[in-house]
Amino acid sequence: MSTDQPTILVIFGISGDLAGRYLLPAISAISKAKMLPKKFHIVGVTRNLDKAYLKKHLDKKTEMLEMDLGKASEYEKLKKIILSARKKFKSELDPQILFYLSVPPNASEKIVEMLGKSGLSKIKNAKLLLEKPFGSDLSSAEHLVRHIEEYFAEEQIYRIDHYLAKEAAQNIIVFRNGNSLFKKTWNSNFIESIDILASEKIGIEGRAKFYEQTGALRDYVQSHLLQLAALILMDLPDQCGMDAVPALRLKALKGLKIACGDGGSKCVKRGQYAGYRSDAGNPKSTVETFVSIQLKSSDPKWKGVPITVATGKAMAERFTEIRIRYKKTKEQEANELIFRLQPNPGIEFSVFAKKPGYERELSEHTLHFNFNEHYTKLPEAYEQVLWSAINSDHSLFTGSAEVLESWRIVDIIQRAWKGKSADLTIYKKGSKI
Ligand code: BG6
């Protein structure tokens, strides 16, 4: 059920790449599906009003505000706009205000502070939506968490990891819970290994500045891949339902360790695609575009199960999948369950059957379920993100403790890499993950 609470969505950075590519199309898709609150108003904030851009991307109803984001008086203007929109709603229900920060990470700290100092963060039903990355290491993430906490309470904050909102990622918990065959075998007695792989065909696509400051480890592993690992390893929610999910993911993240403790090259491999340095405009760059990490879990349920997470850019194919390999025994073959997140989201399961003929031979076959064969349109991740935030559902968002926990793991690797790059291998574009 969606809420009918009147809603004002304030998008900081409305003329940016993310808003144009994902947010605005997501809003129009939710609107077409008639799932937006009836009283819904968008305020777009930008540093430079580009009329041509606006004409192309925005409908006339969006109210625009050009703002100097560091100036207190500008937030007074924003407050006036919000108050007048609230009045126009003429509703008995108190409206909610969503502040969506679709801005570079170095800009969000200031905006949060100004929203706090202007009193906007304390307006009734105010929410804050934040894009990753949350910091660049454990200590900067801790600083960011404390800074934001000065102005917004945790329940007002929605930290976005769009991977959690992908339909096939949401399906992981539901599938595990709904199928007793897998529910009962989801542990080290039956499972041999877990591989979480994200292979991208694209390179850095003009994002040189961003990528030079992040690299695959911070861009992908700290957020998307560790969150997927948490969805696989976590205990299932009981009758408390989906509200309990962030806490369960957190518990799973707490149990995750790098398999060889110190983050050394035995367990962590890094690489850079040939040509990256010229794409990045830095002939000496040692930034990794590929990383693969061996992990383990201290949860007794996962004792001895190797967990690999790996991602790379400029690879041969584009796919994200999670491979759960079952144990082979004397009597049984090793089945494999694959969650495919993209492309063609779905599930595959390999089974063994008798090969027709006089002998008793086995052959391997695949059972598959593909979302696109059964459903005409899957909601995009950003549609789910916006809809969930509008409806106050935190289950698809990462809590501050989860963010810090994943930095704990990544920090060990960053420390091991500091000042060294001898283990960085250069790989050809089009390599396999
Ligand atoms: C983003 C990363 O979070 O996710 C990008 O910053 C990456 O580097 C992108 O390309 C991948 O998202 P998707 O949904 O296209 O797999």
Side-chain angles (χ1 to χ4, degrees), residues 22 132 162-163 166 200 202 207 210-211 219-220 224 313 318 320 342:
Y22 298 109
K132 76 173 193 49
H162 76 285
Y163 262 62
K166 287 184 188 274
E200 290 194 283
I202 54 168
R207 295 159 83 212
F210 167 80
Y211 213 77
D219 181 34
Y220 231 113
H224 308 326
K313 290 208 184 273
R318 173 181 182 248
T320 305
Q342 58 197 30

mmCIF file with all atom_site columns, all heavy atoms in Angstrom, residues 22 132 162-163 166 200 202 207 210-211 219-220 224 313 318 320 342, ligand 1:
data_model
loop_
_atom_site.group_PDB
_atom_site.id
_atom_site.type_symbol
_atom_site.label_atom_id
_atom_site.label_alt_id
_atom_site.label_comp_id
_atom_site.label_asym_id
_atom_site.label_entity_id
_atom_site.label_seq_id
_atom_site.pdbx_PDB_ins_code
_atom_site.Cartn_x
_atom_site.Cartn_y
_atom_site.Cartn_z
_atom_site.occupancy
_atom_site.B_iso_or_equiv
_atom_site.pdbx_formal_charge
_atom_site.auth_seq_id
_atom_site.auth_comp_id
_atom_site.auth_asym_id
_atom_site.auth_atom_id
_atom_site.pdbx_PDB_model_num
ATOM   1   N N   . TYR A 1 22  ? 18.676 8.811   -13.872 1.00 0.00 ? 22  TYR A N   1
ATOM   2   C CA  . TYR A 1 22  ? 17.938 7.849   -13.031 1.00 0.00 ? 22  TYR A CA  1
ATOM   3   C C   . TYR A 1 22  ? 16.729 8.438   -12.290 1.00 0.00 ? 22  TYR A C   1
ATOM   4   O O   . TYR A 1 22  ? 15.653 7.873   -12.317 1.00 0.00 ? 22  TYR A O   1
ATOM   5   C CB  . TYR A 1 22  ? 18.884 7.236   -11.985 1.00 0.00 ? 22  TYR A CB  1
ATOM   6   C CG  . TYR A 1 22  ? 20.024 6.444   -12.597 1.00 0.00 ? 22  TYR A CG  1
ATOM   7   C CD1 . TYR A 1 22  ? 21.322 6.920   -12.545 1.00 0.00 ? 22  TYR A CD1 1
ATOM   8   C CD2 . TYR A 1 22  ? 19.792 5.224   -13.223 1.00 0.00 ? 22  TYR A CD2 1
ATOM   9   C CE1 . TYR A 1 22  ? 22.379 6.205   -13.115 1.00 0.00 ? 22  TYR A CE1 1
ATOM   10  C CE2 . TYR A 1 22  ? 20.832 4.494   -13.782 1.00 0.00 ? 22  TYR A CE2 1
ATOM   11  C CZ  . TYR A 1 22  ? 22.125 4.980   -13.725 1.00 0.00 ? 22  TYR A CZ  1
ATOM   12  O OH  . TYR A 1 22  ? 23.142 4.274   -14.288 1.00 0.00 ? 22  TYR A OH  1
ATOM   13  N N   . LYS A 1 132 ? 25.860 7.254   -2.220  1.00 0.00 ? 132 LYS A N   1
ATOM   14  C CA  . LYS A 1 132 ? 27.200 6.857   -1.881  1.00 0.00 ? 132 LYS A CA  1
ATOM   15  C C   . LYS A 1 132 ? 28.196 7.703   -2.686  1.00 0.00 ? 132 LYS A C   1
ATOM   16  O O   . LYS A 1 132 ? 27.785 8.267   -3.696  1.00 0.00 ? 132 LYS A O   1
ATOM   17  C CB  . LYS A 1 132 ? 27.394 5.371   -2.136  1.00 0.00 ? 132 LYS A CB  1
ATOM   18  C CG  . LYS A 1 132 ? 27.551 5.018   -3.620  1.00 0.00 ? 132 LYS A CG  1
ATOM   19  C CD  . LYS A 1 132 ? 27.894 3.575   -3.744  1.00 0.00 ? 132 LYS A CD  1
ATOM   20  C CE  . LYS A 1 132 ? 28.357 3.192   -5.104  1.00 0.00 ? 132 LYS A CE  1
ATOM   21  N NZ  . LYS A 1 132 ? 29.346 3.908   -5.802  1.00 0.00 ? 132 LYS A NZ  1
ATOM   22  N N   . HIS A 1 162 ? 21.967 1.435   -4.612  1.00 0.00 ? 162 HIS A N   1
ATOM   23  C CA  . HIS A 1 162 ? 20.909 1.031   -5.555  1.00 0.00 ? 162 HIS A CA  1
ATOM   24  C C   . HIS A 1 162 ? 20.937 -0.472  -5.840  1.00 0.00 ? 162 HIS A C   1
ATOM   25  O O   . HIS A 1 162 ? 19.966 -1.022  -6.323  1.00 0.00 ? 162 HIS A O   1
ATOM   26  C CB  . HIS A 1 162 ? 20.952 1.865   -6.837  1.00 0.00 ? 162 HIS A CB  1
ATOM   27  C CG  . HIS A 1 162 ? 22.036 1.511   -7.804  1.00 0.00 ? 162 HIS A CG  1
ATOM   28  N ND1 . HIS A 1 162 ? 23.355 1.843   -7.599  1.00 0.00 ? 162 HIS A ND1 1
ATOM   29  C CD2 . HIS A 1 162 ? 22.009 0.841   -8.981  1.00 0.00 ? 162 HIS A CD2 1
ATOM   30  C CE1 . HIS A 1 162 ? 24.073 1.402   -8.615  1.00 0.00 ? 162 HIS A CE1 1
ATOM   31  N NE2 . HIS A 1 162 ? 23.296 0.787   -9.473  1.00 0.00 ? 162 HIS A NE2 1
ATOM   32  N N   . TYR A 1 163 ? 22.022 -1.158  -5.478  1.00 0.00 ? 163 TYR A N   1
ATOM   33  C CA  . TYR A 1 163 ? 22.050 -2.611  -5.679  1.00 0.00 ? 163 TYR A CA  1
ATOM   34  C C   . TYR A 1 163 ? 21.021 -3.315  -4.799  1.00 0.00 ? 163 TYR A C   1
ATOM   35  O O   . TYR A 1 163 ? 20.419 -4.297  -5.202  1.00 0.00 ? 163 TYR A O   1
ATOM   36  C CB  . TYR A 1 163 ? 23.461 -3.167  -5.449  1.00 0.00 ? 163 TYR A CB  1
ATOM   37  C CG  . TYR A 1 163 ? 24.174 -3.336  -6.773  1.00 0.00 ? 163 TYR A CG  1
ATOM   38  C CD1 . TYR A 1 163 ? 24.426 -2.225  -7.572  1.00 0.00 ? 163 TYR A CD1 1
ATOM   39  C CD2 . TYR A 1 163 ? 24.524 -4.583  -7.259  1.00 0.00 ? 163 TYR A CD2 1
ATOM   40  C CE1 . TYR A 1 163 ? 25.025 -2.352  -8.806  1.00 0.00 ? 163 TYR A CE1 1
ATOM   41  C CE2 . TYR A 1 163 ? 25.126 -4.724  -8.497  1.00 0.00 ? 163 TYR A CE2 1
ATOM   42  C CZ  . TYR A 1 163 ? 25.366 -3.606  -9.265  1.00 0.00 ? 163 TYR A CZ  1
ATOM   43  O OH  . TYR A 1 163 ? 25.935 -3.741  -10.500 1.00 0.00 ? 163 TYR A OH  1
ATOM   44  N N   . LYS A 1 166 ? 17.664 -3.434  -6.481  1.00 0.00 ? 166 LYS A N   1
ATOM   45  C CA  . LYS A 1 166 ? 17.418 -4.168  -7.726  1.00 0.00 ? 166 LYS A CA  1
ATOM   46  C C   . LYS A 1 166 ? 16.434 -5.307  -7.422  1.00 0.00 ? 166 LYS A C   1
ATOM   47  O O   . LYS A 1 166 ? 16.568 -5.972  -6.395  1.00 0.00 ? 166 LYS A O   1
ATOM   48  C CB  . LYS A 1 166 ? 18.732 -4.724  -8.290  1.00 0.00 ? 166 LYS A CB  1
ATOM   49  C CG  . LYS A 1 166 ? 19.624 -3.637  -8.900  1.00 0.00 ? 166 LYS A CG  1
ATOM   50  C CD  . LYS A 1 166 ? 20.860 -4.225  -9.524  1.00 0.00 ? 166 LYS A CD  1
ATOM   51  C CE  . LYS A 1 166 ? 21.831 -3.146  -9.943  1.00 0.00 ? 166 LYS A CE  1
ATOM   52  N NZ  . LYS A 1 166 ? 21.592 -2.591  -11.275 1.00 0.00 ? 166 LYS A NZ  1
ATOM   53  N N   . GLU A 1 200 ? 31.868 -5.644  -15.456 1.00 0.00 ? 200 GLU A N   1
ATOM   54  C CA  . GLU A 1 200 ? 31.320 -4.548  -16.265 1.00 0.00 ? 200 GLU A CA  1
ATOM   55  C C   . GLU A 1 200 ? 32.086 -4.445  -17.562 1.00 0.00 ? 200 GLU A C   1
ATOM   56  O O   . GLU A 1 200 ? 33.315 -4.533  -17.572 1.00 0.00 ? 200 GLU A O   1
ATOM   57  C CB  . GLU A 1 200 ? 31.459 -3.221  -15.517 1.00 0.00 ? 200 GLU A CB  1
ATOM   58  C CG  . GLU A 1 200 ? 30.562 -3.092  -14.324 1.00 0.00 ? 200 GLU A CG  1
ATOM   59  C CD  . GLU A 1 200 ? 30.506 -1.645  -13.856 1.00 0.00 ? 200 GLU A CD  1
ATOM   60  O OE1 . GLU A 1 200 ? 31.481 -1.202  -13.219 1.00 0.00 ? 200 GLU A OE1 1
ATOM   61  O OE2 . GLU A 1 200 ? 29.515 -0.974  -14.143 1.00 0.00 ? 200 GLU A OE2 1
ATOM   62  N N   . ILE A 1 202 ? 31.874 -1.688  -19.448 1.00 0.00 ? 202 ILE A N   1
ATOM   63  C CA  . ILE A 1 202 ? 32.281 -0.283  -19.577 1.00 0.00 ? 202 ILE A CA  1
ATOM   64  C C   . ILE A 1 202 ? 33.562 -0.004  -18.809 1.00 0.00 ? 202 ILE A C   1
ATOM   65  O O   . ILE A 1 202 ? 33.895 -0.713  -17.861 1.00 0.00 ? 202 ILE A O   1
ATOM   66  C CB  . ILE A 1 202 ? 31.177 0.694   -19.081 1.00 0.00 ? 202 ILE A CB  1
ATOM   67  C CG1 . ILE A 1 202 ? 30.745 0.337   -17.638 1.00 0.00 ? 202 ILE A CG1 1
ATOM   68  C CG2 . ILE A 1 202 ? 29.987 0.694   -20.008 1.00 0.00 ? 202 ILE A CG2 1
ATOM   69  C CD1 . ILE A 1 202 ? 29.898 1.402   -16.980 1.00 0.00 ? 202 ILE A CD1 1
ATOM   70  N N   . ARG A 1 207 ? 34.383 9.452   -16.104 1.00 0.00 ? 207 ARG A N   1
ATOM   71  C CA  . ARG A 1 207 ? 34.316 9.795   -14.668 1.00 0.00 ? 207 ARG A CA  1
ATOM   72  C C   . ARG A 1 207 ? 35.713 9.773   -14.049 1.00 0.00 ? 207 ARG A C   1
ATOM   73  O O   . ARG A 1 207 ? 35.909 9.278   -12.932 1.00 0.00 ? 207 ARG A O   1
ATOM   74  C CB  . ARG A 1 207 ? 33.414 8.810   -13.930 1.00 0.00 ? 207 ARG A CB  1
ATOM   75  C CG  . ARG A 1 207 ? 31.969 8.863   -14.359 1.00 0.00 ? 207 ARG A CG  1
ATOM   76  C CD  . ARG A 1 207 ? 31.292 7.571   -13.996 1.00 0.00 ? 207 ARG A CD  1
ATOM   77  N NE  . ARG A 1 207 ? 30.830 7.531   -12.620 1.00 0.00 ? 207 ARG A NE  1
ATOM   78  C CZ  . ARG A 1 207 ? 30.782 6.426   -11.881 1.00 0.00 ? 207 ARG A CZ  1
ATOM   79  N NH1 . ARG A 1 207 ? 31.190 5.276   -12.384 1.00 0.00 ? 207 ARG A NH1 1
ATOM   80  N NH2 . ARG A 1 207 ? 30.348 6.448   -10.645 1.00 0.00 ? 207 ARG A NH2 1
ATOM   81  N N   . PHE A 1 210 ? 36.251 11.261  -10.439 1.00 0.00 ? 210 PHE A N   1
ATOM   82  C CA  . PHE A 1 210 ? 35.620 10.427  -9.412  1.00 0.00 ? 210 PHE A CA  1
ATOM   83  C C   . PHE A 1 210 ? 36.409 9.132   -9.229  1.00 0.00 ? 210 PHE A C   1
ATOM   84  O O   . PHE A 1 210 ? 36.751 8.745   -8.110  1.00 0.00 ? 210 PHE A O   1
ATOM   85  C CB  . PHE A 1 210 ? 34.176 10.117  -9.850  1.00 0.00 ? 210 PHE A CB  1
ATOM   86  C CG  . PHE A 1 210 ? 33.513 9.021   -9.057  1.00 0.00 ? 210 PHE A CG  1
ATOM   87  C CD1 . PHE A 1 210 ? 32.974 9.288   -7.815  1.00 0.00 ? 210 PHE A CD1 1
ATOM   88  C CD2 . PHE A 1 210 ? 33.449 7.724   -9.552  1.00 0.00 ? 210 PHE A CD2 1
ATOM   89  C CE1 . PHE A 1 210 ? 32.368 8.272   -7.075  1.00 0.00 ? 210 PHE A CE1 1
ATOM   90  C CE2 . PHE A 1 210 ? 32.853 6.705   -8.823  1.00 0.00 ? 210 PHE A CE2 1
ATOM   91  C CZ  . PHE A 1 210 ? 32.311 6.987   -7.584  1.00 0.00 ? 210 PHE A CZ  1
ATOM   92  N N   . TYR A 1 211 ? 36.765 8.496   -10.341 1.00 0.00 ? 211 TYR A N   1
ATOM   93  C CA  . TYR A 1 211 ? 37.365 7.163   -10.236 1.00 0.00 ? 211 TYR A CA  1
ATOM   94  C C   . TYR A 1 211 ? 38.781 7.222   -9.672  1.00 0.00 ? 211 TYR A C   1
ATOM   95  O O   . TYR A 1 211 ? 39.201 6.333   -8.927  1.00 0.00 ? 211 TYR A O   1
ATOM   96  C CB  . TYR A 1 211 ? 37.331 6.444   -11.595 1.00 0.00 ? 211 TYR A CB  1
ATOM   97  C CG  . TYR A 1 211 ? 37.163 4.966   -11.395 1.00 0.00 ? 211 TYR A CG  1
ATOM   98  C CD1 . TYR A 1 211 ? 35.926 4.434   -11.072 1.00 0.00 ? 211 TYR A CD1 1
ATOM   99  C CD2 . TYR A 1 211 ? 38.252 4.111   -11.447 1.00 0.00 ? 211 TYR A CD2 1
ATOM   100 C CE1 . TYR A 1 211 ? 35.761 3.086   -10.833 1.00 0.00 ? 211 TYR A CE1 1
ATOM   101 C CE2 . TYR A 1 211 ? 38.108 2.753   -11.214 1.00 0.00 ? 211 TYR A CE2 1
ATOM   102 C CZ  . TYR A 1 211 ? 36.859 2.249   -10.906 1.00 0.00 ? 211 TYR A CZ  1
ATOM   103 O OH  . TYR A 1 211 ? 36.712 0.908   -10.646 1.00 0.00 ? 211 TYR A OH  1
ATOM   104 N N   . ASP A 1 219 ? 34.501 1.993   -4.799  1.00 0.00 ? 219 ASP A N   1
ATOM   105 C CA  . ASP A 1 219 ? 33.324 2.287   -5.618  1.00 0.00 ? 219 ASP A CA  1
ATOM   106 C C   . ASP A 1 219 ? 32.311 1.147   -5.546  1.00 0.00 ? 219 ASP A C   1
ATOM   107 O O   . ASP A 1 219 ? 31.113 1.375   -5.449  1.00 0.00 ? 219 ASP A O   1
ATOM   108 C CB  . ASP A 1 219 ? 33.779 2.504   -7.075  1.00 0.00 ? 219 ASP A CB  1
ATOM   109 C CG  . ASP A 1 219 ? 32.617 2.834   -8.003  1.00 0.00 ? 219 ASP A CG  1
ATOM   110 O OD1 . ASP A 1 219 ? 31.675 3.503   -7.558  1.00 0.00 ? 219 ASP A OD1 1
ATOM   111 O OD2 . ASP A 1 219 ? 32.651 2.420   -9.187  1.00 0.00 ? 219 ASP A OD2 1
ATOM   112 N N   . TYR A 1 220 ? 32.817 -0.068  -5.583  1.00 0.00 ? 220 TYR A N   1
ATOM   113 C CA  . TYR A 1 220 ? 31.930 -1.212  -5.773  1.00 0.00 ? 220 TYR A CA  1
ATOM   114 C C   . TYR A 1 220 ? 31.886 -2.159  -4.587  1.00 0.00 ? 220 TYR A C   1
ATOM   115 O O   . TYR A 1 220 ? 30.822 -2.605  -4.148  1.00 0.00 ? 220 TYR A O   1
ATOM   116 C CB  . TYR A 1 220 ? 32.409 -2.005  -7.007  1.00 0.00 ? 220 TYR A CB  1
ATOM   117 C CG  . TYR A 1 220 ? 31.332 -2.295  -8.002  1.00 0.00 ? 220 TYR A CG  1
ATOM   118 C CD1 . TYR A 1 220 ? 31.334 -1.721  -9.267  1.00 0.00 ? 220 TYR A CD1 1
ATOM   119 C CD2 . TYR A 1 220 ? 30.302 -3.157  -7.678  1.00 0.00 ? 220 TYR A CD2 1
ATOM   120 C CE1 . TYR A 1 220 ? 30.345 -1.997  -10.189 1.00 0.00 ? 220 TYR A CE1 1
ATOM   121 C CE2 . TYR A 1 220 ? 29.308 -3.444  -8.600  1.00 0.00 ? 220 TYR A CE2 1
ATOM   122 C CZ  . TYR A 1 220 ? 29.332 -2.853  -9.855  1.00 0.00 ? 220 TYR A CZ  1
ATOM   123 O OH  . TYR A 1 220 ? 28.346 -3.117  -10.753 1.00 0.00 ? 220 TYR A OH  1
ATOM   124 N N   . HIS A 1 224 ? 28.196 -2.062  -2.942  1.00 0.00 ? 224 HIS A N   1
ATOM   125 C CA  . HIS A 1 224 ? 27.342 -3.064  -3.600  1.00 0.00 ? 224 HIS A CA  1
ATOM   126 C C   . HIS A 1 224 ? 27.707 -4.512  -3.235  1.00 0.00 ? 224 HIS A C   1
ATOM   127 O O   . HIS A 1 224 ? 26.842 -5.299  -2.868  1.00 0.00 ? 224 HIS A O   1
ATOM   128 C CB  . HIS A 1 224 ? 27.416 -2.918  -5.119  1.00 0.00 ? 224 HIS A CB  1
ATOM   129 C CG  . HIS A 1 224 ? 27.165 -1.529  -5.614  1.00 0.00 ? 224 HIS A CG  1
ATOM   130 N ND1 . HIS A 1 224 ? 26.291 -0.670  -5.008  1.00 0.00 ? 224 HIS A ND1 1
ATOM   131 C CD2 . HIS A 1 224 ? 27.669 -0.834  -6.680  1.00 0.00 ? 224 HIS A CD2 1
ATOM   132 C CE1 . HIS A 1 224 ? 26.250 0.476   -5.674  1.00 0.00 ? 224 HIS A CE1 1
ATOM   133 N NE2 . HIS A 1 224 ? 27.090 0.403   -6.686  1.00 0.00 ? 224 HIS A NE2 1
ATOM   134 N N   . LYS A 1 313 ? 36.169 -3.485  -14.311 1.00 0.00 ? 313 LYS A N   1
ATOM   135 C CA  . LYS A 1 313 ? 35.676 -2.685  -15.439 1.00 0.00 ? 313 LYS A CA  1
ATOM   136 C C   . LYS A 1 313 ? 36.428 -3.108  -16.696 1.00 0.00 ? 313 LYS A C   1
ATOM   137 O O   . LYS A 1 313 ? 37.511 -3.692  -16.609 1.00 0.00 ? 313 LYS A O   1
ATOM   138 C CB  . LYS A 1 313 ? 35.901 -1.194  -15.162 1.00 0.00 ? 313 LYS A CB  1
ATOM   139 C CG  . LYS A 1 313 ? 34.997 -0.657  -14.061 1.00 0.00 ? 313 LYS A CG  1
ATOM   140 C CD  . LYS A 1 313 ? 34.705 0.822   -14.247 1.00 0.00 ? 313 LYS A CD  1
ATOM   141 C CE  . LYS A 1 313 ? 33.873 1.385   -13.103 1.00 0.00 ? 313 LYS A CE  1
ATOM   142 N NZ  . LYS A 1 313 ? 32.423 1.234   -13.298 1.00 0.00 ? 313 LYS A NZ  1
ATOM   143 N N   . ARG A 1 318 ? 29.172 -8.016  -19.546 1.00 0.00 ? 318 ARG A N   1
ATOM   144 C CA  . ARG A 1 318 ? 28.508 -7.348  -18.429 1.00 0.00 ? 318 ARG A CA  1
ATOM   145 C C   . ARG A 1 318 ? 27.602 -8.343  -17.733 1.00 0.00 ? 318 ARG A C   1
ATOM   146 O O   . ARG A 1 318 ? 26.666 -8.869  -18.332 1.00 0.00 ? 318 ARG A O   1
ATOM   147 C CB  . ARG A 1 318 ? 27.660 -6.177  -18.934 1.00 0.00 ? 318 ARG A CB  1
ATOM   148 C CG  . ARG A 1 318 ? 26.817 -5.559  -17.824 1.00 0.00 ? 318 ARG A CG  1
ATOM   149 C CD  . ARG A 1 318 ? 25.955 -4.419  -18.319 1.00 0.00 ? 318 ARG A CD  1
ATOM   150 N NE  . ARG A 1 318 ? 25.202 -3.840  -17.219 1.00 0.00 ? 318 ARG A NE  1
ATOM   151 C CZ  . ARG A 1 318 ? 23.880 -3.932  -17.090 1.00 0.00 ? 318 ARG A CZ  1
ATOM   152 N NH1 . ARG A 1 318 ? 23.162 -4.559  -18.002 1.00 0.00 ? 318 ARG A NH1 1
ATOM   153 N NH2 . ARG A 1 318 ? 23.267 -3.381  -16.054 1.00 0.00 ? 318 ARG A NH2 1
ATOM   154 N N   . THR A 1 320 ? 26.223 -9.412  -13.413 1.00 0.00 ? 320 THR A N   1
ATOM   155 C CA  . THR A 1 320 ? 26.397 -9.487  -11.961 1.00 0.00 ? 320 THR A CA  1
ATOM   156 C C   . THR A 1 320 ? 25.671 -10.737 -11.514 1.00 0.00 ? 320 THR A C   1
ATOM   157 O O   . THR A 1 320 ? 24.483 -10.914 -11.829 1.00 0.00 ? 320 THR A O   1
ATOM   158 C CB  . THR A 1 320 ? 25.783 -8.259  -11.246 1.00 0.00 ? 320 THR A CB  1
ATOM   159 O OG1 . THR A 1 320 ? 26.351 -7.089  -11.815 1.00 0.00 ? 320 THR A OG1 1
ATOM   160 C CG2 . THR A 1 320 ? 26.078 -8.271  -9.754  1.00 0.00 ? 320 THR A CG2 1
ATOM   161 N N   . GLN A 1 342 ? 21.893 -9.174  -13.239 1.00 0.00 ? 342 GLN A N   1
ATOM   162 C CA  . GLN A 1 342 ? 21.794 -8.498  -14.527 1.00 0.00 ? 342 GLN A CA  1
ATOM   163 C C   . GLN A 1 342 ? 22.824 -9.058  -15.482 1.00 0.00 ? 342 GLN A C   1
ATOM   164 O O   . GLN A 1 342 ? 23.822 -9.605  -15.010 1.00 0.00 ? 342 GLN A O   1
ATOM   165 C CB  . GLN A 1 342 ? 22.002 -6.988  -14.365 1.00 0.00 ? 342 GLN A CB  1
ATOM   166 C CG  . GLN A 1 342 ? 23.335 -6.650  -13.734 1.00 0.00 ? 342 GLN A CG  1
ATOM   167 C CD  . GLN A 1 342 ? 23.381 -5.230  -13.210 1.00 0.00 ? 342 GLN A CD  1
ATOM   168 O OE1 . GLN A 1 342 ? 22.383 -4.664  -12.816 1.00 0.00 ? 342 GLN A OE1 1
ATOM   169 N NE2 . GLN A 1 342 ? 24.552 -4.656  -13.196 1.00 0.00 ? 342 GLN A NE2 1
HETATM 170 C C1  . BG6 B 2 .   ? 27.797 2.694   -9.396  1.00 0.00 ? 1   BG6 B C1  1
HETATM 171 C C2  . BG6 B 2 .   ? 29.289 2.790   -9.598  1.00 0.00 ? 1   BG6 B C2  1
HETATM 172 O O1  . BG6 B 2 .   ? 27.483 2.734   -8.024  1.00 0.00 ? 1   BG6 B O1  1
HETATM 173 O O2  . BG6 B 2 .   ? 27.329 1.458   -9.937  1.00 0.00 ? 1   BG6 B O2  1
HETATM 174 C C3  . BG6 B 2 .   ? 29.654 2.640   -11.073 1.00 0.00 ? 1   BG6 B C3  1
HETATM 175 O O3  . BG6 B 2 .   ? 29.727 4.050   -9.122  1.00 0.00 ? 1   BG6 B O3  1
HETATM 176 C C4  . BG6 B 2 .   ? 29.042 1.388   -11.640 1.00 0.00 ? 1   BG6 B C4  1
HETATM 177 O O4  . BG6 B 2 .   ? 31.072 2.629   -11.227 1.00 0.00 ? 1   BG6 B O4  1
HETATM 178 C C5  . BG6 B 2 .   ? 27.549 1.328   -11.327 1.00 0.00 ? 1   BG6 B C5  1
HETATM 179 O O5  . BG6 B 2 .   ? 29.249 1.385   -13.049 1.00 0.00 ? 1   BG6 B O5  1
HETATM 180 C C6  . BG6 B 2 .   ? 26.965 0.008   -11.768 1.00 0.00 ? 1   BG6 B C6  1
HETATM 181 O O6  . BG6 B 2 .   ? 25.594 0.025   -11.587 1.00 0.00 ? 1   BG6 B O6  1
HETATM 182 P P1  . BG6 B 2 .   ? 24.648 -0.879  -12.464 1.00 0.00 ? 1   BG6 B P1  1
HETATM 183 O O7  . BG6 B 2 .   ? 23.319 -0.711  -11.832 1.00 0.00 ? 1   BG6 B O7  1
HETATM 184 O O8  . BG6 B 2 .   ? 24.730 -0.336  -13.855 1.00 0.00 ? 1   BG6 B O8  1
HETATM 185 O O9  . BG6 B 2 .   ? 25.206 -2.252  -12.379 1.00 0.00 ? 1   BG6 B O9  1
#
